[in-house]
Amino acid sequence: MTEVPQPRPERMVPFAGHPAVVGIEPGQSELVVLAAVDWALAVGASALHFAYVDPDRVVVAEGRDGSVRHEGLEPDAADDGWRDTEADLRARLAALLDPTGVRWAFHYLAGRPDRALTHLARAVDASVFIVGARHPGAARRIAELFAGSLAAHLAQHQHRPVLTIPIAVVDWADPSDEWAK
């Protein structure tokens, strides 16, 4: 049986001079993007690699540069809607990032988010993952019960640190919040 490589000091990738992989999704708060920019400027990162992983598409082939060729879950169905999603995400990123002067790239990936982002991080020699925390709420808690959170999957299955950006919080004193009890 092959031993799984564990985090060790010699596997660390320095923050300075190395990029970050930033997981984003449509409709997500701009806080994730802005926090990633602030992190990049603070540590002297070489670039930010933003990625959306489309769960409704499957990977056909992975490139050495972190790119993927993908297709819809039903290959015979007409499926160009992903192109609109890609264009919208690129435009939103450009509006937020171009004024900052930070080097950035966008990657449209497919499949399982933790695996896709890990593949990209290896390809670009990233030092860290930056992802947004999930919104609180019963529906999200149920979904995470079955699928788990992206931040947790990344932290448990690869050696790079994971910076999780809060996008919504709950009031600890709110009696309607089940987690606060």
Side-chain angles (χ1 to χ4, degrees):
M1 185 168 167
T2 305
E3 184 177 324
V4 176
Q6 296 298 310
R8 293 188 298 279
E10 62 270 14
R11 294 190 77 202
M12 290 177 61
V13 178
F15 290 150
H18 287 267
V21 167
V22 185
I24 61 169
E25 55 188 6
Q28 183 178 50
S29 169
E30 64 188 17
L31 287 171
V32 175
V33 173
L34 298 175
V37 167
D38 197 40
W39 177 87
L41 293 170
V43 303
S46 62
L48 294 172
H49 287 267
F50 292 89
Y52 169 60
V53 184
D54 190 334
D56 294 328
R57 300 192 64 76
V58 294
V59 174
V60 175
E62 294 180 325
R64 287 186 173 178
D65 63 352
S67 64
V68 297
R69 279 191 310 112
H70 50 84
E71 63 183 26
L73 292 174
E74 297 181 33
D76 295 334
D79 181 30
D80 281 342
W82 70 271
R83 293 183 194 279
D84 293 335
T85 301
E86 180 181 31
D88 290 345
L89 287 169
R90 273 187 201 282
R92 188 160 185 233
L93 286 170
L96 290 169
L97 295 166
D98 288 350
T100 70
V102 171
R103 285 187 43 215
W104 64 279
F106 174 67
H107 307 266
Y108 195 96
L109 305 175
R112 268 187 45 189
D114 58 333
R115 288 186 180 185
L117 294 177
T118 298
H119 171 70
L120 177 60
R122 285 183 187 134
V124 301
D125 199 23
S127 62
V128 66
F129 292 98
I130 301 174
V131 297
R134 290 289 186 193
H135 289 281
R140 289 290 192 170
R141 286 195 295 268
I142 290 169
E144 285 189 7
L145 177 65
F146 292 105
S149 81
L150 175 58
H153 277 277
L154 287 169
Q156 294 169 356
H157 294 98
Q158 53 73 52
H159 69 277
R160 290 168 180 82
V162 180
L163 176 58
T164 306
I165 309 301
I167 4 184
V169 295
V170 295
D171 183 355
W172 289 108
D174 182 358
S176 68
D177 179 32
E178 188 63 32
W179 291 104
K181 295 178 183 175

